[in-house]
Amino acid sequence: MRQIISTTKAGSGHWVGDGFPVRSLFSHMGGGDSHDPFLMLDYAGPQYFEPAKKPRGVDAHPHKGFETVTIVYQGEVEHGDSTGEGGVIREGDVQWMTAGDGILHKEFHSRAFTARGGTLEMVQLWVNLPARHKSAKPGYQAITDAQIPVVDLPDSAGRLRVIAGDHDGTEGPARTFTPIEVWDLRLNAGKQVELTPPEGQNVTVVLLEGTATLNGAESLNGAAVARLDDKGSFTVDASTDVKLLVLAGAPIKEPIAPYGPFVMNTAAEIHEAIAEFQAGKFGAL
């Protein structure tokens, strides 16, 4: 059985731009517990927005040295970046963006969602890249809900969507630089599931909604996070209907030098990234 290393509750909320009211469930910027290879996870919403004429969101900004993964549960987000990629991320869709050697992007509520109003709920996960891949060519994976395989859990316990990695032979569509599992799980009230991520991978369980117990011992009430070690299986018992993410990944075990939208290995590399951005080497929008 995987041991539970720590549990934390979501912090106080803040706004990213004028479109994303988020709570940080964990972050590499705060020090302390490491979720290697995962850097940060922000949970936006659920938040109702009145109809409007101008899309709310975040205008062009840079990233370098890692990847962003956006999962939309409700509402619609429109993305554009300096590689020329973009589009609308709808309910159930996932955007997997590789910042790599440097990218500019912007994120707004879609024009249709802005006009009609509604509830926005999404998460954004930052995934670290090892030093050998921090200079990777920037890229974008638009993964629709229909492309994500769904596994029905035993005993009608719920369902599991495999976004990345593998669950009992079902592979997710996301391409990753290092071994990573991203499982989007719904568990019905009164049901249990036993999950076995690959040996050697650190595990982070992100409970977004509901109340559940891990390993029959640790109660979590969403929004909350539990860190588990890298060996064996673990169980989730749902007291209510629950919505959670299981993140597992092979640790990179490299130093992290973070500075706002850049995550490198050394301070010198951060200074270089800033200079490259200021010189316009991340392209344009």
Side-chain angles (χ1 to χ4, degrees), residues 49-66:
F49 288 89
E50 296 287 347
K53 293 182 179 179
K54 181 181 178 182
R56 306 171 179 92
V58 185
D59 213 340
H61 57 282
H63 288 303
K64 179 171 180 167
F66 62 99

Side-chain angles (χ1 to χ4, degrees), residues 114-172:
T114 299
R116 69 174 181 266
T119 299
L120 178 73
E121 181 184 11
M122 55 173 273
V123 300
Q124 186 168 96
L125 170 70
W126 288 16
V127 180
N128 198 17
L129 289 171
R132 66 185 183 278
H133 292 311
K134 286 190 180 294
S135 60
K137 181 180 178 180
Y140 179 81
Q141 300 174 64
I143 303 170
T144 66
D145 183 35
Q147 293 174 307
I148 300 172
V150 179
V151 177
D152 291 324
L153 300 175
D155 191 31
S156 301
R159 66 175 181 84
L160 185 153
R161 297 198 311 155
V162 186
I163 295 170
D166 176 280
H167 174 72
D168 287 345
T170 298
E171 294 186 0

Side-chain angles (χ1 to χ4, degrees), residues 67-71 94-97 123-127 163:
E67 300 185 287
T68 68
V69 181
T70 303
I71 305 170
V94 175
Q95 167 199 282
W96 199 296
M97 186 187 78
V123 300
Q124 186 168 96
L125 170 70
W126 288 16
V127 180
I163 295 170

Side-chain angles (χ1 to χ4, degrees), residues 55-238:
R56 306 171 179 92
V58 185
D59 213 340
H61 57 282
H63 288 303
K64 179 171 180 167
F66 62 99
E67 300 185 287
T68 68
V69 181
T70 303
I71 305 170
V72 174
Y73 293 103
Q74 298 183 74
E76 294 180 352
V77 179
E78 193 160 350
H79 163 90
D81 65 46
S82 52
T83 72
E85 295 286 353
V88 176
I89 315 160
R90 298 178 171 84
E91 182 175 335
D93 294 350
V94 175
Q95 167 199 282
W96 199 296
M97 186 187 78
T98 301
D101 202 31
I103 198 170
L104 298 179
H105 81 141
K106 57 184 178 181
E107 300 162 295
F108 286 91
H109 298 180
S110 75
R111 284 161 285 188
F113 178 76
T114 299
R116 69 174 181 266
T119 299
L120 178 73
E121 181 184 11
M122 55 173 273
V123 300
Q124 186 168 96
L125 170 70
W126 288 16
V127 180
N128 198 17
L129 289 171
R132 66 185 183 278
H133 292 311
K134 286 190 180 294
S135 60
K137 181 180 178 180
Y140 179 81
Q141 300 174 64
I143 303 170
T144 66
D145 183 35
Q147 293 174 307
I148 300 172
V150 179
V151 177
D152 291 324
L153 300 175
D155 191 31
S156 301
R159 66 175 181 84
L160 185 153
R161 297 198 311 155
V162 186
I163 295 170
D166 176 280
H167 174 72
D168 287 345
T170 298
E171 294 186 0
R175 302 183 304 275
T176 67
F177 284 84
T178 57
I180 287 172
E181 326 300 315
V182 178
W183 302 339
D184 175 20
L185 177 64
R186 303 292 190 284
L187 194 59
N188 299 325
K191 297 294 186 177
Q192 182 191 83
V193 65
E194 181 174 354
L195 298 171
T196 308
E199 291 289 304
Q201 292 193 0
N202 293 335
V203 172
T204 299
V205 177
V206 181
L207 181 66
L208 299 174
E209 184 179 293
T211 301
T213 302
L214 297 184
N215 291 345
E218 189 75 40
S219 180
L220 293 179
N221 185 41
V225 171
R227 288 178 62 226
L228 284 69
D229 69 11
D230 61 355
K231 295 179 178 65
S233 62
F234 67 96
T235 60
V236 183
D237 288 89

